[in-house]
Amino acid sequence: MKKLFLLILLPGLVISPLYAGIVWRDKVQLICHRTANRDMPENTIESLELAARMGCNIVEVDVRSTLDGQLVLNHDDYLERLTSGMGNVELTSYDELRLLDTGAWMGQRFTHMSIPRFEDALQVAREQGIGLYLDIKTKGIGPLVLAAVQREGMLERVVFGGEWDDIPPLYPKANQDAVAYVDPGATHEQVAALQHEGKFVIANFSANSHEMDLPLMRAAVAAGVNAINVDYPRLGADAVGRPVEAKLAALVRSASSGPTRTRVAAIRELSHYPGFPMQQFFQRWLRDADDQISRASAVALVIARPATPVRIFIEALSDPEATARQNAAWAIGMQPAPATDALLHLLADKDPEVLKETLLAISRCSGDVPASRLLPFLNNSVPTVRGAAALALARHQPQIAARAIPELLNREEQDIARDYAQYVFRGKPKLTQQEIDPITETYREQMKLIQALEFLSTNDALHSLAAQAFRPVEDYSRVTSLVSGYQLWDRIATDPMSAIQALSSPDIEVANRAEWGLVKAGSSVLPILRQVLASADTGTRARIIRILAWQGDSESIPLLRRLEISNPQDKALMEWALQKIALLSFNQ
């Protein structure tokens, strides 16, 4: 059964000299079976990337088609084996497959991976400079596979296998030269004889009892094979003389000293080697005085597989370096962890960046943080600290936040309006960077204040966001009201009157925002719109008619026909609306 599931490559793998980007005869190549399947979930983008990073020159992937004709990576078609679903890949649409977890079967550290599209795998292979062996699993999809390969510019970097009989008529140059597979233990003489026949000789260490036989892998390399095919690329890399550990050591040296950009790049690269003992280095660099180095290390620790214990971040909260405290706080906020006493202790920190990250972390943490610990920060002199404090208050004390945050917004909007009026009075001169910086900081704060409103109860969030969305704006940026309007789309249905009233606003942007928000709110707002339509003023009536039309409200047709008679000035609009509704009825 194992060989049935793992059988690959052996019959029919042929490599042409045209595949110069894949095959080198002057060095032993490393071929990886089914991506790095012994280190990460098979046939995932993450596993393909890891195989490339560990030095694989050619990586085998399995390609099949979904119900809706999408090419994806999957070996045996059974959803039960690798995903949270049941059934067959080929009888499931790709939209449904995207919803399934295809990593957790291998362990909780790999949750939230998904079945990738074939074209995404091609793009990764091109970016990583590796070749692919395509084990085509579905009969008849060769033309689709070939077209995808051509689109991604990978025609000379792939070898076709499996159900590929329909490719040669379209691409006669495919797979012209044979290879020879030898078992572990093949002698130098046996290998040389095959090479004398022009064969590209591969020693197979996949799907047999020698998958982890490093001495025999080395012996195969010493015997002169052109490549070894493995399930364990880390062992294979060692056997061919390109150990992964040497690459990691070089990256650690780059990450330890030198220009910031170089160090950050090395840390980021190291973070993509799960399962290697890198945590000690990331912990060290977390305490670096350079914030970029510290943050890159915090990110590496957060995305680590398996997960970094929270205690490591808690210990760093008391570090003398502000960067360590700041980024450890950020990391705790990115974990599913409660707001610990150690984190709350940082609210006494004097560094504003530490305060900002601490408050943001608290806004993401569970628990019950008292309002008295958070309210004072709404009056902090640093705008971004105020914004983070608003998020934390809304998360832990939404009832108090429902009063405090709108008050803060109103105060700041009055100040902004005053400053903007002075700017207009000055003739809107070009601002200096010194003038732009505080405006930018306040803008950052306001975005967080709007996000804080989203944390409130349904009713409080609705009214607070509506107040922002439907207020006339005269300031440097109209984004606050615009974002608030978007946030109303999923809330208007509970009480649409504020949006309906805003339809008659003399501010055209406010009225437009209200109209489109009601279009996006869904059918539950249609009854009240029909109710107010007859008594609405001319401008509001036109907007309501458009809303009914865009929503395809067939129940409003009799009302619109009556209004068409009583309001002949609206005839063109009525005809358009009725046509739109008819189109959206889809002949039902």
Side-chain angles (χ1 to χ4, degrees), residues 355-371:
L355 281 177
K356 179 189 73 175
E357 291 295 356
T358 300
L359 289 162
L360 276 177
I362 291 171
S363 76
R364 297 170 180 143
C365 288
S366 58
D368 185 17
V369 180

Side-chain angles (χ1 to χ4, degrees), residues 364-379:
R364 297 170 180 143
C365 288
S366 58
D368 185 17
V369 180
S372 60
R373 302 292 299 272
L374 304 172
L375 277 170
F377 294 103
L378 293 184
N379 296 314

Side-chain angles (χ1 to χ4, degrees), residues 246-268:
K247 183 185 297 186
L248 296 179
L251 286 169
V252 168
R253 289 193 293 271
S254 295
S256 298
S257 62
T260 296
R261 183 184 294 272
T262 302
R263 295 184 65 194
V264 168
I267 292 170
R268 288 175 176 163

Side-chain angles (χ1 to χ4, degrees), residues 127-149:
E127 293 165 1
Q128 295 287 341
I130 62 172
L132 293 178
Y133 176 85
L134 309 179
D135 191 351
I136 302 172
K137 297 296 185 180
T138 308
K139 285 183 178 293
I141 65 170
L144 293 177
V145 172
L146 181 62
V149 169

Side-chain angles (χ1 to χ4, degrees), residues 471-519:
R471 70 178 179 89
V473 178
E474 288 294 336
D475 61 26
Y476 297 101
S477 172
R478 299 170 186 264
V479 176
T480 301
S481 53
L482 188 66
V483 172
S484 298
Y486 292 145
Q487 286 298 322
L488 286 174
W489 287 5
D490 296 322
R491 295 177 169 89
I492 288 176
T494 61
D495 184 4
M497 283 311 300
S498 59
I500 292 173
Q501 291 167 357
L503 293 173
S504 60
S505 173
D507 187 314
I508 188 69
E509 291 190 26
V510 169
N512 285 346
R513 192 172 300 124
E515 178 180 335
W516 204 242
L518 287 163
V519 170

Side-chain angles (χ1 to χ4, degrees), residues 541 545 560-561 563-579:
R541 183 171 66 244
I545 291 170
L560 294 177
R561 293 200 185 280
L563 288 174
E564 185 177 20
I565 297 171
S566 60
N567 298 278
Q569 71 274 18
D570 294 335
K571 181 176 176 58
L573 176 61
M574 293 293 187
E575 289 180 350
W576 169 84
L578 290 167
Q579 289 174 358

Side-chain angles (χ1 to χ4, degrees), residues 525-548:
V525 302
L526 296 176
I528 193 169
L529 286 171
R530 294 186 217 110
Q531 182 179 337
V532 302
L533 177 58
S535 59
D537 60 64
T538 301
T540 303
R541 183 171 66 244
R543 289 184 179 276
I544 293 176
I545 291 170
R546 290 198 294 265
I547 295 167
L548 297 173

